[in-house]
Amino acid sequence: MKNENKISRRKVVASLGATFALAAASPALAIASGKAKPFSGAAISDPTKLYPKPPFKFQPQPWPGLQSKMDPMPDCGESSYKGSGRLTGRKALITGGDSGMGRAAAIAYAREGADVAINYYPTEEQDAQEVIALIKREGRKGVAIPGDLRDEAFCKQLVQKALSELGGLDIIVSNAGRPQAAESILDVSTEEFDSIMKTNIYAPFFIIREALPHLPPGSAIVATTSEQAYNPDAWLYAYGQTKAATMNYVKSLAKQLGPKGIRVNGVAPGPVWTALQVSGGTTPDKQQTFGDWTMFGRPGQPAELASIYVQLAAADASFATGQIYGSSGGVGQP
Ligand code: NAD
Ligand code: MG
C-alpha cells in the first residue's frame, strides 16, 4: 500500500514535469494553458472566478471546427489534470477525442494510467496530434484513428483497429456528437438531419455492437448525452432528440449488460466552451453570450468534466450503472 502511494506520487510529479515541458515545447498548448485560466487541482477555488466569461469574440468556423483556433482556447486539463493511477492498465477508445470533452477525458485517462485510442474527423488532425503527444508524454500508448463515424464500415474498422493496437478494450467513451442550430424546423435540411442522426445515434450503435464481444467483465461504457435530453432548446430540434436517445440507450444497455459485469453510464454537460459551439452548435447571436445563463455566469470548460469521465470508468465505481451524471452550471435536469 505504502509502495503504491509512493509510485503514484512519483507518477504525479513525473506527469506534472512532462506537462510543463510539453507546454514549453508546444506553443499551441502553452497558449491553451495561458488563455483559459486553469484551476489548480486541490486548492479551493470559486467557480464564478475560474474561467473566462462572456462576451466572447464572434468566431464562426466551418464544421467540425478546431479548438486550437478558438479564442479563448478551451481548457481540457492540459496543464492541470493530475492522475493518481485510477485507470492503470486500462484500454480506452474515445470518439471525438481530439477536442472538448473527449480530449479532456483522453488526457485524464492517460494520466490515470490508461492507453488511449482516439477517433476524430480527418480535418481535425491538428487538434488530435496535440492529444496524442500529451498521451505519449505520460508514457502511455496513444493511437490516432481518423475517420467518419457516419459510415458503418468505418465504425467497425475503428473498433478492430483500437482492439489490435491496444491489445484489447475495456473502456468505450462514445462522445462524438454533432449539433446544428436552426431557428425553425423549416431550416433543417434532410441531409443535416441525417448527419445528426448518423453521428449521434447510429455510430454509438455500430461501435458498441462491434466492441461488445471483446469487452471483459468490469468494462465501462460512457456516453456523452446533454442537458438537451431533458430540456431541449427550440433551436436544437434535431440534436435534442438524439441526446434523449443517448440517455435512453444508456439506461437500456445498463440493464442488458449489467449481468455481464459491464457498466453503462452517461455524462450530461450543460453549456461548455468547445469547438462544437462555434461550428454550428449554437445560433450566431448566442456565440458571444455563450453560457451567461448558468449560475456562474459563464460556460463550463471541458477540464471541469474530466473527473466525471474518470469516475464512471474507474473500477471503484463498481455499483454505478444506468446513471446520468450532470455537470451544467445549474441548468438542465439530468
Ligand atoms: P467538440 O467539437 O470538441 O467534440 C465533438 C467531436 O465530435 C469533434 O471533435 C469530432 O471529432 C466528433 N465528430 C462529430 N462528427 C463526427 C463524424 N461524423 N466523424 C467523426 N467524428 C465526428 O465538442 P464537445 O462539446 O466536446 O462535444 C463532445 C460531446 O459533448 C458531443 O456529444 C456533444 O453533443 C456533447 N455536449 C456538448 C455540450 C457543449 O456545450 N459543448 C453540451 C452538452 C453535450
Ligand atoms: Mg474536434
PDB file of all heavy atoms in Angstrom, residues 63-64 96 98-102 119-121 124 147-150 175-178 199 224-226 239 243 269-272 274-277 290, ligand 1:
ATOM      1  N   TRP A  63     -17.830  23.472 -39.848  1.00  0.00           N
ATOM      2  CA  TRP A  63     -17.879  22.206 -39.109  1.00  0.00           C
ATOM      3  C   TRP A  63     -16.690  21.338 -39.499  1.00  0.00           C
ATOM      4  O   TRP A  63     -16.327  21.337 -40.670  1.00  0.00           O
ATOM      5  CB  TRP A  63     -19.194  21.467 -39.462  1.00  0.00           C
ATOM      6  CG  TRP A  63     -19.259  20.116 -38.815  1.00  0.00           C
ATOM      7  CD1 TRP A  63     -19.705  19.843 -37.572  1.00  0.00           C
ATOM      8  CD2 TRP A  63     -18.812  18.874 -39.379  1.00  0.00           C
ATOM      9  NE1 TRP A  63     -19.569  18.494 -37.319  1.00  0.00           N
ATOM     10  CE2 TRP A  63     -19.020  17.877 -38.406  1.00  0.00           C
ATOM     11  CE3 TRP A  63     -18.233  18.496 -40.601  1.00  0.00           C
ATOM     12  CZ2 TRP A  63     -18.696  16.531 -38.618  1.00  0.00           C
ATOM     13  CZ3 TRP A  63     -17.904  17.163 -40.799  1.00  0.00           C
ATOM     14  CH2 TRP A  63     -18.140  16.201 -39.811  1.00  0.00           C
ATOM     15  N   PRO A  64     -16.045  20.584 -38.618  1.00  0.00           N
ATOM     16  CA  PRO A  64     -16.365  20.423 -37.205  1.00  0.00           C
ATOM     17  C   PRO A  64     -15.590  21.380 -36.297  1.00  0.00           C
ATOM     18  O   PRO A  64     -15.679  21.263 -35.080  1.00  0.00           O
ATOM     19  CB  PRO A  64     -15.948  18.970 -36.922  1.00  0.00           C
ATOM     20  CG  PRO A  64     -14.804  18.732 -37.849  1.00  0.00           C
ATOM     21  CD  PRO A  64     -15.027  19.591 -39.056  1.00  0.00           C
ATOM     22  N   GLY A  96     -14.377  11.424 -30.766  1.00  0.00           N
ATOM     23  CA  GLY A  96     -14.294  12.874 -30.540  1.00  0.00           C
ATOM     24  C   GLY A  96     -13.203  13.188 -29.528  1.00  0.00           C
ATOM     25  O   GLY A  96     -13.306  14.140 -28.752  1.00  0.00           O
ATOM     26  N   ASP A  98     -10.236  14.351 -29.977  1.00  0.00           N
ATOM     27  CA  ASP A  98      -9.308  15.416 -30.369  1.00  0.00           C
ATOM     28  C   ASP A  98      -9.529  16.721 -29.607  1.00  0.00           C
ATOM     29  O   ASP A  98      -8.608  17.517 -29.452  1.00  0.00           O
ATOM     30  CB  ASP A  98      -9.474  15.711 -31.867  1.00  0.00           C
ATOM     31  CG  ASP A  98     -10.904  16.158 -32.155  1.00  0.00           C
ATOM     32  OD1 ASP A  98     -11.840  15.372 -31.864  1.00  0.00           O
ATOM     33  OD2 ASP A  98     -11.091  17.296 -32.629  1.00  0.00           O
ATOM     34  N   SER A  99     -10.774  16.960 -29.181  1.00  0.00           N
ATOM     35  CA  SER A  99     -11.120  18.283 -28.645  1.00  0.00           C
ATOM     36  C   SER A  99     -12.230  18.153 -27.609  1.00  0.00           C
ATOM     37  O   SER A  99     -12.842  17.087 -27.466  1.00  0.00           O
ATOM     38  CB  SER A  99     -11.574  19.207 -29.791  1.00  0.00           C
ATOM     39  OG  SER A  99     -12.673  18.620 -30.482  1.00  0.00           O
ATOM     40  N   GLY A 100     -12.459  19.243 -26.906  1.00  0.00           N
ATOM     41  CA  GLY A 100     -13.591  19.316 -25.981  1.00  0.00           C
ATOM     42  C   GLY A 100     -13.567  18.236 -24.902  1.00  0.00           C
ATOM     43  O   GLY A 100     -12.516  17.854 -24.386  1.00  0.00           O
ATOM     44  N   MET A 101     -14.755  17.723 -24.588  1.00  0.00           N
ATOM     45  CA  MET A 101     -14.886  16.739 -23.501  1.00  0.00           C
ATOM     46  C   MET A 101     -14.088  15.471 -23.786  1.00  0.00           C
ATOM     47  O   MET A 101     -13.512  14.878 -22.875  1.00  0.00           O
ATOM     48  CB  MET A 101     -16.355  16.359 -23.306  1.00  0.00           C
ATOM     49  CG  MET A 101     -17.040  17.109 -22.192  1.00  0.00           C
ATOM     50  SD  MET A 101     -17.366  18.817 -22.567  1.00  0.00           S
ATOM     51  CE  MET A 101     -18.842  18.667 -23.542  1.00  0.00           C
ATOM     52  N   GLY A 102     -14.062  15.018 -25.053  1.00  0.00           N
ATOM     53  CA  GLY A 102     -13.329  13.800 -25.394  1.00  0.00           C
ATOM     54  C   GLY A 102     -11.835  13.975 -25.160  1.00  0.00           C
ATOM     55  O   GLY A 102     -11.149  13.063 -24.683  1.00  0.00           O
ATOM     56  N   ASN A 119     -10.661   8.685 -31.813  1.00  0.00           N
ATOM     57  CA  ASN A 119     -11.214   8.873 -33.154  1.00  0.00           C
ATOM     58  C   ASN A 119     -11.615  10.340 -33.299  1.00  0.00           C
ATOM     59  O   ASN A 119     -11.969  10.998 -32.318  1.00  0.00           O
ATOM     60  CB  ASN A 119     -12.442   7.980 -33.367  1.00  0.00           C
ATOM     61  CG  ASN A 119     -13.301   8.480 -34.522  1.00  0.00           C
ATOM     62  OD1 ASN A 119     -14.381   9.042 -34.309  1.00  0.00           O
ATOM     63  ND2 ASN A 119     -12.829   8.334 -35.740  1.00  0.00           N
ATOM     64  N   TYR A 120     -11.559  10.819 -34.536  1.00  0.00           N
ATOM     65  CA  TYR A 120     -11.920  12.208 -34.846  1.00  0.00           C
ATOM     66  C   TYR A 120     -12.142  12.287 -36.345  1.00  0.00           C
ATOM     67  O   TYR A 120     -11.795  11.359 -37.088  1.00  0.00           O
ATOM     68  CB  TYR A 120     -10.798  13.176 -34.402  1.00  0.00           C
ATOM     69  CG  TYR A 120      -9.436  12.730 -34.872  1.00  0.00           C
ATOM     70  CD1 TYR A 120      -8.884  13.191 -36.067  1.00  0.00           C
ATOM     71  CD2 TYR A 120      -8.716  11.776 -34.150  1.00  0.00           C
ATOM     72  CE1 TYR A 120      -7.658  12.735 -36.522  1.00  0.00           C
ATOM     73  CE2 TYR A 120      -7.484  11.315 -34.596  1.00  0.00           C
ATOM     74  CZ  TYR A 120      -6.965  11.802 -35.781  1.00  0.00           C
ATOM     75  OH  TYR A 120      -5.763  11.327 -36.233  1.00  0.00           O
ATOM     76  N   TYR A 121     -12.713  13.391 -36.807  1.00  0.00           N
ATOM     77  CA  TYR A 121     -12.924  13.583 -38.240  1.00  0.00           C
ATOM     78  C   TYR A 121     -11.578  13.975 -38.865  1.00  0.00           C
ATOM     79  O   TYR A 121     -10.794  14.690 -38.231  1.00  0.00           O
ATOM     80  CB  TYR A 121     -13.986  14.679 -38.442  1.00  0.00           C
ATOM     81  CG  TYR A 121     -14.573  14.699 -39.813  1.00  0.00           C
ATOM     82  CD1 TYR A 121     -15.377  13.649 -40.250  1.00  0.00           C
ATOM     83  CD2 TYR A 121     -14.312  15.747 -40.690  1.00  0.00           C
ATOM     84  CE1 TYR A 121     -15.908  13.645 -41.523  1.00  0.00           C
ATOM     85  CE2 TYR A 121     -14.847  15.755 -41.959  1.00  0.00           C
ATOM     86  CZ  TYR A 121     -15.637  14.708 -42.380  1.00  0.00           C
ATOM     87  OH  TYR A 121     -16.163  14.707 -43.637  1.00  0.00           O
ATOM     88  N   GLU A 124      -9.563  17.208 -38.396  1.00  0.00           N
ATOM     89  CA  GLU A 124      -9.190  17.638 -37.045  1.00  0.00           C
ATOM     90  C   GLU A 124      -7.805  17.129 -36.624  1.00  0.00           C
ATOM     91  O   GLU A 124      -7.481  17.097 -35.435  1.00  0.00           O
ATOM     92  CB  GLU A 124     -10.238  17.141 -36.035  1.00  0.00           C
ATOM     93  CG  GLU A 124     -11.615  17.710 -36.312  1.00  0.00           C
ATOM     94  CD  GLU A 124     -12.681  17.102 -35.424  1.00  0.00           C
ATOM     95  OE1 GLU A 124     -12.883  15.871 -35.479  1.00  0.00           O
ATOM     96  OE2 GLU A 124     -13.320  17.853 -34.686  1.00  0.00           O
ATOM     97  N   GLY A 147     -11.486   9.237 -39.052  1.00  0.00           N
ATOM     98  CA  GLY A 147     -12.485   8.655 -39.954  1.00  0.00           C
ATOM     99  C   GLY A 147     -13.869   9.180 -39.643  1.00  0.00           C
ATOM    100  O   GLY A 147     -14.099   9.750 -38.571  1.00  0.00           O
ATOM    101  N   ASP A 148     -14.782   8.939 -40.584  1.00  0.00           N
ATOM    102  CA  ASP A 148     -16.138   9.483 -40.483  1.00  0.00           C
ATOM    103  C   ASP A 148     -17.082   8.481 -39.814  1.00  0.00           C
ATOM    104  O   ASP A 148     -17.366   7.411 -40.368  1.00  0.00           O
ATOM    105  CB  ASP A 148     -16.645   9.828 -41.894  1.00  0.00           C
ATOM    106  CG  ASP A 148     -17.942  10.611 -41.862  1.00  0.00           C
ATOM    107  OD1 ASP A 148     -18.651  10.579 -40.831  1.00  0.00           O
ATOM    108  OD2 ASP A 148     -18.256  11.252 -42.892  1.00  0.00           O
ATOM    109  N   LEU A 149     -17.574   8.845 -38.655  1.00  0.00           N
ATOM    110  CA  LEU A 149     -18.435   7.949 -37.864  1.00  0.00           C
ATOM    111  C   LEU A 149     -19.794   7.697 -38.500  1.00  0.00           C
ATOM    112  O   LEU A 149     -20.531   6.811 -38.047  1.00  0.00           O
ATOM    113  CB  LEU A 149     -18.655   8.540 -36.468  1.00  0.00           C
ATOM    114  CG  LEU A 149     -17.456   8.549 -35.528  1.00  0.00           C
ATOM    115  CD1 LEU A 149     -17.816   9.269 -34.241  1.00  0.00           C
ATOM    116  CD2 LEU A 149     -16.988   7.137 -35.219  1.00  0.00           C
ATOM    117  N   ARG A 150     -20.152   8.466 -39.527  1.00  0.00           N
ATOM    118  CA  ARG A 150     -21.448   8.236 -40.177  1.00  0.00           C
ATOM    119  C   ARG A 150     -21.413   6.982 -41.049  1.00  0.00           C
ATOM    120  O   ARG A 150     -22.446   6.545 -41.548  1.00  0.00           O
ATOM    121  CB  ARG A 150     -21.830   9.457 -41.030  1.00  0.00           C
ATOM    122  CG  ARG A 150     -22.156  10.679 -40.185  1.00  0.00           C
ATOM    123  CD  ARG A 150     -22.267  11.941 -41.018  1.00  0.00           C
ATOM    124  NE  ARG A 150     -20.979  12.344 -41.590  1.00  0.00           N
ATOM    125  CZ  ARG A 150     -20.765  13.459 -42.260  1.00  0.00           C
ATOM    126  NH1 ARG A 150     -21.760  14.297 -42.465  1.00  0.00           N
ATOM    127  NH2 ARG A 150     -19.566  13.750 -42.729  1.00  0.00           N
ATOM    128  N   ASN A 175     -18.496   9.618 -27.344  1.00  0.00           N
ATOM    129  CA  ASN A 175     -18.592  11.049 -27.012  1.00  0.00           C
ATOM    130  C   ASN A 175     -18.818  11.941 -28.219  1.00  0.00           C
ATOM    131  O   ASN A 175     -19.374  13.026 -28.084  1.00  0.00           O
ATOM    132  CB  ASN A 175     -17.288  11.441 -26.288  1.00  0.00           C
ATOM    133  CG  ASN A 175     -17.091  12.937 -26.247  1.00  0.00           C
ATOM    134  OD1 ASN A 175     -17.756  13.631 -25.481  1.00  0.00           O
ATOM    135  ND2 ASN A 175     -16.201  13.456 -27.093  1.00  0.00           N
ATOM    136  N   ALA A 176     -18.402  11.503 -29.418  1.00  0.00           N
ATOM    137  CA  ALA A 176     -18.537  12.373 -30.605  1.00  0.00           C
ATOM    138  C   ALA A 176     -19.994  12.770 -30.767  1.00  0.00           C
ATOM    139  O   ALA A 176     -20.907  11.992 -30.474  1.00  0.00           O
ATOM    140  CB  ALA A 176     -18.057  11.637 -31.842  1.00  0.00           C
ATOM    141  N   GLY A 177     -20.200  13.985 -31.217  1.00  0.00           N
ATOM    142  CA  GLY A 177     -21.573  14.431 -31.412  1.00  0.00           C
ATOM    143  C   GLY A 177     -21.633  15.592 -32.376  1.00  0.00           C
ATOM    144  O   GLY A 177     -20.646  16.305 -32.567  1.00  0.00           O
ATOM    145  N   ARG A 178     -22.807  15.722 -33.002  1.00  0.00           N
ATOM    146  CA  ARG A 178     -22.973  16.795 -33.973  1.00  0.00           C
ATOM    147  C   ARG A 178     -24.308  17.504 -33.763  1.00  0.00           C
ATOM    148  O   ARG A 178     -25.364  16.903 -33.917  1.00  0.00           O
ATOM    149  CB  ARG A 178     -22.942  16.201 -35.368  1.00  0.00           C
ATOM    150  CG  ARG A 178     -23.178  17.252 -36.431  1.00  0.00           C
ATOM    151  CD  ARG A 178     -22.933  16.696 -37.797  1.00  0.00           C
ATOM    152  NE  ARG A 178     -23.042  17.763 -38.764  1.00  0.00           N
ATOM    153  CZ  ARG A 178     -22.428  17.782 -39.914  1.00  0.00           C
ATOM    154  NH1 ARG A 178     -21.650  16.784 -40.244  1.00  0.00           N
ATOM    155  NH2 ARG A 178     -22.576  18.774 -40.742  1.00  0.00           N
ATOM    156  N   THR A 199     -24.464  10.407 -36.801  1.00  0.00           N
ATOM    157  CA  THR A 199     -23.342  10.621 -35.882  1.00  0.00           C
ATOM    158  C   THR A 199     -23.734  10.294 -34.442  1.00  0.00           C
ATOM    159  O   THR A 199     -22.976   9.647 -33.716  1.00  0.00           O
ATOM    160  CB  THR A 199     -22.887  12.101 -35.933  1.00  0.00           C
ATOM    161  OG1 THR A 199     -22.729  12.485 -37.300  1.00  0.00           O
ATOM    162  CG2 THR A 199     -21.581  12.308 -35.195  1.00  0.00           C
ATOM    163  N   THR A 224     -21.704  10.447 -23.931  1.00  0.00           N
ATOM    164  CA  THR A 224     -21.962  11.860 -23.648  1.00  0.00           C
ATOM    165  C   THR A 224     -23.352  12.209 -24.151  1.00  0.00           C
ATOM    166  O   THR A 224     -23.618  12.186 -25.355  1.00  0.00           O
ATOM    167  CB  THR A 224     -20.909  12.771 -24.304  1.00  0.00           C
ATOM    168  OG1 THR A 224     -19.606  12.365 -23.880  1.00  0.00           O
ATOM    169  CG2 THR A 224     -21.126  14.224 -23.892  1.00  0.00           C
ATOM    170  N   THR A 225     -24.245  12.493 -23.223  1.00  0.00           N
ATOM    171  CA  THR A 225     -25.573  12.965 -23.588  1.00  0.00           C
ATOM    172  C   THR A 225     -25.575  14.485 -23.387  1.00  0.00           C
ATOM    173  O   THR A 225     -24.581  15.150 -23.702  1.00  0.00           O
ATOM    174  CB  THR A 225     -26.680  12.187 -22.813  1.00  0.00           C
ATOM    175  OG1 THR A 225     -27.919  12.816 -23.032  1.00  0.00           O
ATOM    176  CG2 THR A 225     -26.403  11.996 -21.356  1.00  0.00           C
ATOM    177  N   SER A 226     -26.608  15.070 -22.843  1.00  0.00           N
ATOM    178  CA  SER A 226     -26.644  16.534 -22.721  1.00  0.00           C
ATOM    179  C   SER A 226     -27.819  16.957 -21.856  1.00  0.00           C
ATOM    180  O   SER A 226     -28.811  16.225 -21.725  1.00  0.00           O
ATOM    181  CB  SER A 226     -26.809  17.150 -24.113  1.00  0.00           C
ATOM    182  OG  SER A 226     -27.071  18.539 -24.019  1.00  0.00           O
ATOM    183  N   TYR A 239     -30.931  17.800 -32.765  1.00  0.00           N
ATOM    184  CA  TYR A 239     -29.888  17.376 -31.816  1.00  0.00           C
ATOM    185  C   TYR A 239     -30.495  16.943 -30.477  1.00  0.00           C
ATOM    186  O   TYR A 239     -30.086  15.928 -29.905  1.00  0.00           O
ATOM    187  CB  TYR A 239     -28.935  18.550 -31.627  1.00  0.00           C
ATOM    188  CG  TYR A 239     -27.870  18.396 -30.576  1.00  0.00           C
ATOM    189  CD1 TYR A 239     -26.716  17.671 -30.831  1.00  0.00           C
ATOM    190  CD2 TYR A 239     -27.993  19.018 -29.326  1.00  0.00           C
ATOM    191  CE1 TYR A 239     -25.713  17.572 -29.868  1.00  0.00           C
ATOM    192  CE2 TYR A 239     -27.005  18.917 -28.369  1.00  0.00           C
ATOM    193  CZ  TYR A 239     -25.865  18.198 -28.650  1.00  0.00           C
ATOM    194  OH  TYR A 239     -24.876  18.098 -27.699  1.00  0.00           O
ATOM    195  N   LYS A 243     -29.936  13.369 -28.116  1.00  0.00           N
ATOM    196  CA  LYS A 243     -29.373  13.298 -26.762  1.00  0.00           C
ATOM    197  C   LYS A 243     -30.346  12.590 -25.812  1.00  0.00           C
ATOM    198  O   LYS A 243     -29.933  11.924 -24.865  1.00  0.00           O
ATOM    199  CB  LYS A 243     -29.008  14.705 -26.280  1.00  0.00           C
ATOM    200  CG  LYS A 243     -27.847  15.296 -27.071  1.00  0.00           C
ATOM    201  CD  LYS A 243     -26.597  14.447 -26.869  1.00  0.00           C
ATOM    202  CE  LYS A 243     -25.500  14.746 -27.848  1.00  0.00           C
ATOM    203  NZ  LYS A 243     -24.277  13.962 -27.623  1.00  0.00           N
ATOM    204  N   PRO A 269     -23.498  17.175 -20.002  1.00  0.00           N
ATOM    205  CA  PRO A 269     -22.965  18.523 -19.802  1.00  0.00           C
ATOM    206  C   PRO A 269     -24.037  19.577 -20.072  1.00  0.00           C
ATOM    207  O   PRO A 269     -24.967  19.360 -20.848  1.00  0.00           O
ATOM    208  CB  PRO A 269     -21.856  18.643 -20.861  1.00  0.00           C
ATOM    209  CG  PRO A 269     -21.661  17.259 -21.430  1.00  0.00           C
ATOM    210  CD  PRO A 269     -22.956  16.543 -21.214  1.00  0.00           C
ATOM    211  N   GLY A 270     -23.857  20.728 -19.442  1.00  0.00           N
ATOM    212  CA  GLY A 270     -24.596  21.932 -19.831  1.00  0.00           C
ATOM    213  C   GLY A 270     -23.762  22.656 -20.867  1.00  0.00           C
ATOM    214  O   GLY A 270     -22.976  22.025 -21.581  1.00  0.00           O
ATOM    215  N   PRO A 271     -23.891  23.974 -20.971  1.00  0.00           N
ATOM    216  CA  PRO A 271     -23.123  24.707 -21.982  1.00  0.00           C
ATOM    217  C   PRO A 271     -21.624  24.712 -21.673  1.00  0.00           C
ATOM    218  O   PRO A 271     -21.210  25.215 -20.634  1.00  0.00           O
ATOM    219  CB  PRO A 271     -23.693  26.131 -21.911  1.00  0.00           C
ATOM    220  CG  PRO A 271     -24.310  26.226 -20.551  1.00  0.00           C
ATOM    221  CD  PRO A 271     -24.759  24.852 -20.180  1.00  0.00           C
ATOM    222  N   VAL A 272     -20.841  24.107 -22.559  1.00  0.00           N
ATOM    223  CA  VAL A 272     -19.390  24.017 -22.353  1.00  0.00           C
ATOM    224  C   VAL A 272     -18.706  24.647 -23.572  1.00  0.00           C
ATOM    225  O   VAL A 272     -19.137  24.436 -24.712  1.00  0.00           O
ATOM    226  CB  VAL A 272     -18.943  22.547 -22.175  1.00  0.00           C
ATOM    227  CG1 VAL A 272     -17.434  22.471 -21.930  1.00  0.00           C
ATOM    228  CG2 VAL A 272     -19.689  21.891 -21.019  1.00  0.00           C
ATOM    229  N   THR A 274     -16.606  24.770 -26.335  1.00  0.00           N
ATOM    230  CA  THR A 274     -15.882  23.825 -27.202  1.00  0.00           C
ATOM    231  C   THR A 274     -16.075  24.221 -28.671  1.00  0.00           C
ATOM    232  O   THR A 274     -16.953  25.030 -28.997  1.00  0.00           O
ATOM    233  CB  THR A 274     -16.398  22.380 -27.037  1.00  0.00           C
ATOM    234  OG1 THR A 274     -17.742  22.317 -27.516  1.00  0.00           O
ATOM    235  CG2 THR A 274     -16.340  21.902 -25.601  1.00  0.00           C
ATOM    236  N   ALA A 275     -15.303  23.563 -29.534  1.00  0.00           N
ATOM    237  CA  ALA A 275     -15.330  23.865 -30.974  1.00  0.00           C
ATOM    238  C   ALA A 275     -16.719  23.663 -31.570  1.00  0.00           C
ATOM    239  O   ALA A 275     -17.113  24.348 -32.532  1.00  0.00           O
ATOM    240  CB  ALA A 275     -14.313  22.983 -31.695  1.00  0.00           C
ATOM    241  N   LEU A 276     -17.447  22.726 -31.004  1.00  0.00           N
ATOM    242  CA  LEU A 276     -18.794  22.435 -31.498  1.00  0.00           C
ATOM    243  C   LEU A 276     -19.693  23.684 -31.450  1.00  0.00           C
ATOM    244  O   LEU A 276     -20.552  23.882 -32.318  1.00  0.00           O
ATOM    245  CB  LEU A 276     -19.306  21.309 -30.615  1.00  0.00           C
ATOM    246  CG  LEU A 276     -20.688  20.771 -30.522  1.00  0.00           C
ATOM    247  CD1 LEU A 276     -20.595  19.309 -30.122  1.00  0.00           C
ATOM    248  CD2 LEU A 276     -21.449  21.516 -29.472  1.00  0.00           C
ATOM    249  N   GLN A 277     -19.459  24.538 -30.463  1.00  0.00           N
ATOM    250  CA  GLN A 277     -20.329  25.711 -30.302  1.00  0.00           C
ATOM    251  C   GLN A 277     -20.049  26.791 -31.340  1.00  0.00           C
ATOM    252  O   GLN A 277     -20.942  27.568 -31.662  1.00  0.00           O
ATOM    253  CB  GLN A 277     -20.182  26.298 -28.882  1.00  0.00           C
ATOM    254  CG  GLN A 277     -20.575  25.319 -27.785  1.00  0.00           C
ATOM    255  CD  GLN A 277     -22.046  24.903 -27.841  1.00  0.00           C
ATOM    256  OE1 GLN A 277     -22.832  25.446 -28.621  1.00  0.00           O
ATOM    257  NE2 GLN A 277     -22.430  23.936 -27.028  1.00  0.00           N
ATOM    258  N   PHE A 290     -22.368  33.152 -24.890  1.00  0.00           N
ATOM    259  CA  PHE A 290     -22.480  31.725 -24.571  1.00  0.00           C
ATOM    260  C   PHE A 290     -22.225  31.439 -23.082  1.00  0.00           C
ATOM    261  O   PHE A 290     -21.182  31.791 -22.539  1.00  0.00           O
ATOM    262  CB  PHE A 290     -21.509  30.915 -25.444  1.00  0.00           C
ATOM    263  CG  PHE A 290     -21.717  29.428 -25.307  1.00  0.00           C
ATOM    264  CD1 PHE A 290     -22.873  28.830 -25.770  1.00  0.00           C
ATOM    265  CD2 PHE A 290     -20.770  28.632 -24.682  1.00  0.00           C
ATOM    266  CE1 PHE A 290     -23.085  27.462 -25.619  1.00  0.00           C
ATOM    267  CE2 PHE A 290     -20.966  27.274 -24.529  1.00  0.00           C
ATOM    268  CZ  PHE A 290     -22.137  26.691 -24.998  1.00  0.00           C
TER     269      PHE A 290
HETATM  270  P1  NAD B   1     -16.105  19.074 -29.855  1.00  0.00           P
HETATM  271  O1  NAD B   1     -16.439  19.698 -31.145  1.00  0.00           O
HETATM  272  O2  NAD B   1     -14.819  19.427 -29.233  1.00  0.00           O
HETATM  273  O3  NAD B   1     -16.206  17.494 -29.965  1.00  0.00           O
HETATM  274  C1  NAD B   1     -17.125  16.834 -30.802  1.00  0.00           C
HETATM  275  C2  NAD B   1     -16.342  15.866 -31.649  1.00  0.00           C
HETATM  276  O4  NAD B   1     -17.251  15.024 -32.356  1.00  0.00           O
HETATM  277  C3  NAD B   1     -15.490  16.509 -32.716  1.00  0.00           C
HETATM  278  O5  NAD B   1     -14.232  16.867 -32.227  1.00  0.00           O
HETATM  279  C4  NAD B   1     -15.403  15.410 -33.770  1.00  0.00           C
HETATM  280  O6  NAD B   1     -14.179  14.737 -33.653  1.00  0.00           O
HETATM  281  C5  NAD B   1     -16.521  14.455 -33.419  1.00  0.00           C
HETATM  282  N1  NAD B   1     -17.378  14.179 -34.578  1.00  0.00           N
HETATM  283  C6  NAD B   1     -18.543  14.782 -34.923  1.00  0.00           C
HETATM  284  N2  NAD B   1     -19.000  14.241 -36.065  1.00  0.00           N
HETATM  285  C7  NAD B   1     -18.114  13.286 -36.450  1.00  0.00           C
HETATM  286  C8  NAD B   1     -18.051  12.372 -37.535  1.00  0.00           C
HETATM  287  N3  NAD B   1     -19.000  12.317 -38.483  1.00  0.00           N
HETATM  288  N4  NAD B   1     -16.986  11.540 -37.617  1.00  0.00           N
HETATM  289  C9  NAD B   1     -16.011  11.565 -36.669  1.00  0.00           C
HETATM  290  N5  NAD B   1     -16.040  12.409 -35.599  1.00  0.00           N
HETATM  291  C10 NAD B   1     -17.072  13.241 -35.501  1.00  0.00           C
HETATM  292  O7  NAD B   1     -17.314  19.443 -28.872  1.00  0.00           O
HETATM  293  P2  NAD B   1     -17.768  18.894 -27.442  1.00  0.00           P
HETATM  294  O8  NAD B   1     -18.690  19.911 -26.936  1.00  0.00           O
HETATM  295  O9  NAD B   1     -16.604  18.477 -26.625  1.00  0.00           O
HETATM  296  O10 NAD B   1     -18.629  17.614 -27.825  1.00  0.00           O
HETATM  297  C11 NAD B   1     -18.469  16.363 -27.196  1.00  0.00           C
HETATM  298  C12 NAD B   1     -19.839  15.799 -26.856  1.00  0.00           C
HETATM  299  O11 NAD B   1     -20.431  16.628 -25.854  1.00  0.00           O
HETATM  300  C13 NAD B   1     -20.826  15.766 -28.011  1.00  0.00           C
HETATM  301  O12 NAD B   1     -21.540  14.549 -27.994  1.00  0.00           O
HETATM  302  C14 NAD B   1     -21.763  16.907 -27.699  1.00  0.00           C
HETATM  303  O13 NAD B   1     -23.032  16.708 -28.255  1.00  0.00           O
HETATM  304  C15 NAD B   1     -21.781  16.853 -26.191  1.00  0.00           C
HETATM  305  N6  NAD B   1     -22.256  18.044 -25.495  1.00  0.00           N
HETATM  306  C16 NAD B   1     -21.628  19.243 -25.651  1.00  0.00           C
HETATM  307  C17 NAD B   1     -22.080  20.347 -24.972  1.00  0.00           C
HETATM  308  C18 NAD B   1     -21.413  21.704 -25.090  1.00  0.00           C
HETATM  309  O14 NAD B   1     -21.993  22.697 -24.638  1.00  0.00           O
HETATM  310  N7  NAD B   1     -20.236  21.803 -25.650  1.00  0.00           N
HETATM  311  C19 NAD B   1     -23.180  20.246 -24.102  1.00  0.00           C
HETATM  312  C20 NAD B   1     -23.796  19.011 -23.961  1.00  0.00           C
HETATM  313  C21 NAD B   1     -23.315  17.916 -24.652  1.00  0.00           C
END
